[in-house]
Amino acid sequence: MAKHKKLLEYILMRQGDSNVSFTALCNLLSVLGFEERIKGDHHIFTKDGVDEIINLQPKGGKAKPYQVKQIRNVIIRYNMHIGG
């Protein structure tokens, strides 16, 4: 769980949107309660109470920077956090 908290802090502190692992980002969304649906290389995340639908595609094992920014905005808008 500590690695998820570190990634969440990393994203919220805007420390490098182009350097986020795609797999780690998908795992973080799952920990935050999002449900994942996969169509081809599109990973679609939804969550009850969240209006936005998050659609991610990997680029060389990394998440696309604009998608990391989109996720950061959703996390801030809905005041999401991990655990406790």
Side-chain angles (χ1 to χ4, degrees):
M1 196 63 78
K3 66 181 176 180
H4 299 299
K5 285 186 179 185
K6 282 186 178 183
L7 178 58
L8 180 59
E9 289 174 11
Y10 182 86
I11 291 169
L12 291 175
M13 294 178 70
R14 299 179 173 115
Q15 293 182 339
D17 292 350
S18 62
N19 197 29
V20 176
S21 160
F22 179 78
T23 302
L25 190 59
C26 290
N27 290 338
L28 174 63
L29 289 172
S30 294
V31 167
L32 289 171
F34 285 84
E35 293 184 26
E36 181 179 18
R37 194 173 81 235
I38 302 172
K39 285 187 174 184
D41 67 343
H42 291 256
H43 294 247
I44 303 160
F45 292 87
T46 57
K47 180 176 178 173
D48 288 340
V50 175
D51 295 332
E52 293 84 355
I53 296 171
I54 299 172
N55 184 358
L56 304 178
Q57 306 88 37
K59 182 177 182 180
K62 301 284 184 187
K64 295 179 180 179
Y66 80 90
Q67 293 172 338
V68 175
K69 182 179 177 183
Q70 176 189 28
I71 291 167
R72 177 175 40 252
N73 291 337
V74 169
I75 290 169
I76 291 169
R77 178 177 178 191
Y78 294 95
N79 194 26
M80 295 180 182
H81 57 278
I82 296 174

